[in-house]
């Protein structure tokens, strides 16, 4: 298991961690296999989406915040239920196939840490599994 730390700076944001994940894969000298990327938090998620136009990330966050706003009838004492809900909608992990030692992502795909209750210090845990 490999762990990286990511500092978020906004309440909600999507941070591209593709290069950090690829760096871990490079260190494994793996040819073919799979890399799992997991976030051990309940108010942040991991997803794969467009890495070209930053407007996509902005639109995703705007819409998620509209779909799941903070509600006065939420009862969670910490007051961040919207962040918990968004984290579950996005999910806590992705698995990416490896081809010749590289993340086999589509041309326009990047791996994103999705912060919903920042700014905070987050961890991302990763594991590489070799296929024979
Ligand atoms: Zn909470």
């Amino acid at each position: 298991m490999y762990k990286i730390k990511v500092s978020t700076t906004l309440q909600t944001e999507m941070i591209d961690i593709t290069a950090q994940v690829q760096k871990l894969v490079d260190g494994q000298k793996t040819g073919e296999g799979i890399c799992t990327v997991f976030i051990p938090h309940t108010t942040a998620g991991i997803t794969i989406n467009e890495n070209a136009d930053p407007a996509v990330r902005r639109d995703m966050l705007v819409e998620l915040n509209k779909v799941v706003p903070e509600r006065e009838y939420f009862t969670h004492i910490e007051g961040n239920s919207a962040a918990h809900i968004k984290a579950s909608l996005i999910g806590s992990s992705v698995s990416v196939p490896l081809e010749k030692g590289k993340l086999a992502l589509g041309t326009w795909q990047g791996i994103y840490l999705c912060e919903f209750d920042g700014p905070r210090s987050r961890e991302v845990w990763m594991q590489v599994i070799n296929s024979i």
Side-chain angles (χ1 to χ4, degrees):
M1 171 101 74
Y2 295 85
K3 302 180 179 184
I4 59 169
K5 287 192 193 309
V6 179
S7 293
T8 63
T9 58
L10 300 172
Q11 188 184 21
T12 60
E13 64 181 315
M14 292 173 68
I15 298 174
D16 189 342
I17 59 169
T18 312
Q20 289 149 282
V21 178
Q22 182 61 57
K23 196 171 159 194
L24 161 78
V25 171
D26 289 344
Q28 301 304 295
K29 304 196 185 333
T30 303
E32 308 291 306
I34 195 162
C35 178
T36 62
V37 183
F38 172 81
I39 191 157
H41 302 288
T42 59
T43 55
I46 295 282
T47 195
I48 292 175
N49 215 298
E50 176 163 327
N51 62 6
D53 182 0
V56 171
R57 298 192 299 261
R58 192 169 58 243
D59 290 348
M60 285 178 67
L61 292 172
V62 164
E63 200 60 21
L64 274 169
N65 289 335
K66 241 167 71 179
V67 171
V68 189
E70 279 299 341
R71 303 283 194 185
E72 60 199 32
Y73 52 76
F74 286 162
T75 56
H76 176 40
I77 192 106
E78 204 182 11
N80 61 354
S81 283
H84 287 288
I85 294 166
K86 286 180 273 192
S88 274
L89 286 175
I90 289 293
S92 57
S93 70
V94 296
S95 295
V96 182
L98 303 177
E99 184 180 43
K100 295 178 182 160
K102 297 291 172 199
L103 294 165
L105 290 166
T107 305
W108 307 113
Q109 288 184 316
I111 305 169
Y112 290 91
L113 183 162
C114 302
E115 175 62 80
F116 297 119
D117 196 25
R120 290 186 188 225
S121 177
R122 299 296 195 176
E123 283 196 357
V124 177
W125 296 352
M126 296 172 285
Q127 209 157 38
V128 172
I129 300 164
N130 284 299
S131 65
I132 299 172

Coordinates of all heavy atoms in Angstrom, one line a residue, residues 43 76 78 80 84, ligand 1:
T43 N -15.9 12.6 3.5 CA -16.4 13.8 2.8 C -15.5 14.3 1.6 O -15.5 15.4 1.3 CB -16.4 15.0 3.9 OG1 -15.1 15.2 4.5 CG2 -17.5 14.7 5.0
H76 N -27.2 15.6 11.2 CA -25.8 15.3 11.6 C -25.1 16.5 12.4 O -25.1 17.6 11.9 CB -25.0 15.0 10.3 CG -23.6 14.8 10.4 ND1 -23.0 14.0 11.5 CD2 -22.5 15.2 9.7 CE1 -21.7 14.0 11.3 NE2 -21.4 14.6 10.2
E78 N -22.2 17.4 13.0 CA -21.0 18.0 12.5 C -21.4 19.1 11.5 O -20.6 20.0 11.1 CB -20.1 17.0 11.9 CG -18.6 17.4 11.8 CD -17.8 16.4 11.1 OE1 -18.3 15.4 10.5 OE2 -16.6 16.6 11.1
N80 N -22.1 18.8 8.2 CA -21.5 18.7 6.9 C -22.1 17.5 6.1 O -21.5 16.8 5.4 CB -20.0 18.6 6.9 CG -19.5 17.3 7.7 OD1 -20.3 16.6 8.3 ND2 -18.2 17.1 7.7
H84 N -20.9 14.6 3.0 CA -21.0 13.2 3.1 C -21.8 12.6 1.9 O -21.4 11.6 1.4 CB -21.7 12.8 4.4 CG -20.8 13.0 5.7 ND1 -19.7 12.2 6.0 CD2 -20.9 13.9 6.7 CE1 -19.2 12.6 7.1 NE2 -19.9 13.6 7.5
Ligands
LIG1 ZN1 -19.6 14.8 9.3

